[in-house]
Amino acid sequence: MTNQVVWLAEFTLEGGATLRDVPVAFRSWGELNAAGDNAVVICHALTGNPEVDDWWSELLGPGKALDTNRFFVVCANVIGSPYGTVSPLTTNPDTGQPWAHAFPATTVRDTVALHRALLETLGVRRVLFAIGGSLGGMQTLEWAFHEDFVHGLVPIGVGGRHSAWCIGWSEAQRQAIYSDPLWQEGRYADHQPPAAGLSVARMMAMVSYRSFASFSERFGRGRSSKQDSYEVESYLRHQGMKLVERFDARCYVHLTNVMDTHDISRDRGDYFEVLARIRQPALVVGISTDILYPVAEQRELAEHMPNAELAVMEAHQGHDAFLIEQADLASRVIGWRERQIDRLL
């Protein structure tokens, strides 16, 4: 099934720019009830897409954690992504050409506001809960400030604000792209993208998404079949080229900058006081070996959000465990959902 697209006449960004003829790509499963109050929102990660049945198949479906028999489940593509929502690849109606390097800066809050406009267009009047990991977890936390609209929250593998550590990883990846001679400050031709730079950026990211233990167990010091490199080197090169085949460098740069804007207290007040104002029931999920968003960040959220509980997945895969250990995650979401959400329907 291909993504559906809703076009909004205009949308004003946090920075003040107003976009016209704005596409918002999404997928949905299940049926919206007559009251419009059985929606569940899934928020995808950095290079993710709305095809949740591909990357979270053990959570989505009849009788599962994201029960399509009971819920109207929606996943919309984020602003700046190449998968259908307005981005550097979208035609600027004022010029008739793709936005490319001229696409304005956006934030996590912009994406959440745009997705709310989409949901309201679809007839949604209440979201039972929002759920997502990494960049999806950032969106989930921003949904907390739509308390009139969203009842519950399941942020996974994320903190309340992007740390210097994470910003450092983002900047290193951007510099890899900028160092590619084909980058040309984002003015490259579609048929000559900075593939080498984007590939190296993805290789860096893949190291940060896993853990010492996972790489040791999977690769050790093994050599590839051709004996010209280590297995881990071949793996990283393969992952880099896979992303080049499906993603755009301008979008990657844009979205890493979006993630760096993540700070739920920005323009709202003291960080811990802002956390204390998040009243929705929440399941905050951490991963024991996550080096990007360590469990201390999730514990901080759970301790300061008054109706939150912490669940820690004991997994050796690192940050990506929320995409790998799906059965574990699903059971935790079901348990929380049965306590906090199911009574609402």
Side-chain angles (χ1 to χ4, degrees):
M1 182 184 295
T2 58
N3 291 340
Q4 297 173 267
V5 178
V6 163
W7 289 80
L8 302 179
E10 63 178 33
F11 179 75
T12 300
L13 301 170
E14 255 199 292
T18 296
L19 306 178
R20 296 190 300 108
D21 300 335
V22 181
V24 192
F26 70 99
R27 285 282 310 277
S28 66
W29 300 261
E31 300 292 333
L32 184 65
N33 63 16
D37 64 358
N38 68 327
V40 169
V41 169
I42 301 173
C43 308
H44 71 72
L46 170 61
T47 63
N49 58 48
E51 308 294 328
V52 182
D53 44 355
D54 286 342
W55 48 267
W56 248 4
S57 60
E58 292 186 46
L59 278 82
L60 178 71
K64 297 182 180 181
L66 307 171
D67 189 348
T68 52
N69 284 339
R70 304 180 63 200
F71 307 134
F72 177 59
V73 182
V74 179
C75 181
N77 188 216
V78 300
I79 300 174
S81 169
Y83 295 120
T85 293
V86 65
S87 79
L89 304 185
T90 307
T91 298
N92 178 350
D94 293 331
T95 66
Q97 300 297 319
W99 279 98
H101 63 281
F103 191 67
T106 70
T107 67
V108 179
R109 294 181 193 178
D110 286 326
T111 278
V112 169
L114 183 70
H115 288 177
R116 176 164 183 169
L118 164 70
L119 292 168
E120 291 177 341
T121 298
L122 296 177
V124 173
R125 296 180 180 176
R126 179 180 66 175
V127 173
L128 292 169
F129 64 96
I131 180 172
S134 199
L135 173 56
M138 298 175 192
Q139 296 167 66
T140 298
L141 287 171
E142 280 297 333
W143 276 116
F145 302 94
H146 295 255
E147 60 270 21
D148 62 315
F149 194 62
V150 175
H151 177 77
L153 311 165
V154 185
I156 305 165
V158 73
R161 48 191 173 183
H162 226 208
S163 66
W165 172 250
C166 285
I167 294 170
W169 276 102
S170 296
E171 176 61 7
Q173 292 170 55
R174 287 190 293 265
Q175 288 297 327
I177 294 171
Y178 299 159
S179 68
D180 189 320
L182 294 177
W183 169 246
Q184 298 180 26
E185 297 184 334
R187 293 175 169 84
Y188 57 86
D190 290 344
H191 67 283
Q192 287 186 312
L198 179 59
S199 177
V200 171
R202 180 62 166 181
M203 291 168 68
M204 291 181 190
M206 291 305 300
V207 174
S208 74
Y209 296 159
R210 299 303 173 92
S211 69
F212 182 98
S214 67
F215 269 38
S216 295
E217 177 183 301
R218 182 170 178 179
F219 305 111
R221 290 186 53 80
R223 305 288 287 188
S224 68
S225 57
K226 295 181 180 179
Q227 295 295 307
D228 61 349
S229 63
Y230 290 99
E231 288 181 359
V232 68
E233 292 176 312
S234 298
Y235 166 79
L236 291 174
R237 292 168 186 160
H238 174 69
Q239 292 297 324
M241 291 314 299
K242 276 180 62 178
L243 187 72
V244 167
E245 292 169 358
R246 70 176 180 88
F247 218 78
D248 175 76
R250 281 179 294 242
C251 291
Y252 197 90
V253 166
H254 183 90
L255 288 173
T256 56
N257 278 310
V258 166
M259 294 174 75
D260 291 347
T261 72
H262 172 58
D263 180 353
I264 61 164
S265 66
R266 178 170 52 82
D267 300 326
R268 289 179 174 137
D270 175 79
Y271 177 69
F272 295 106
E273 291 177 0
V274 171
L275 283 178
R277 297 204 301 266
I278 298 176
R279 310 299 301 182
Q280 294 102 320
L283 176 67
V284 180
V285 181
I287 300 156
S288 61
T289 52
D290 192 339
I291 66 168
L292 272 179
Y293 305 95
V295 171
E297 292 197 326
Q298 292 87 57
R299 184 172 292 111
E300 178 180 80
L301 293 175
E303 288 178 352
H304 291 88
M305 293 163 58
N307 293 310
E309 56 187 90
L310 175 67
V312 178
M313 297 172 61
E314 298 293 337
H316 74 278
Q317 295 96 338
H319 183 63
D320 267 359
F322 78 90
L323 297 171
I324 299 169
E325 297 294 338
Q326 294 188 29
D328 183 8
L329 177 60
S331 67
R332 295 172 188 274
V333 173
I334 289 171
W336 173 82
R337 196 200 73 199
E338 289 175 344
R339 294 191 301 276
Q340 299 288 354
I341 302 297
D342 288 0
R343 59 185 171 78
L344 301 175
L345 289 178

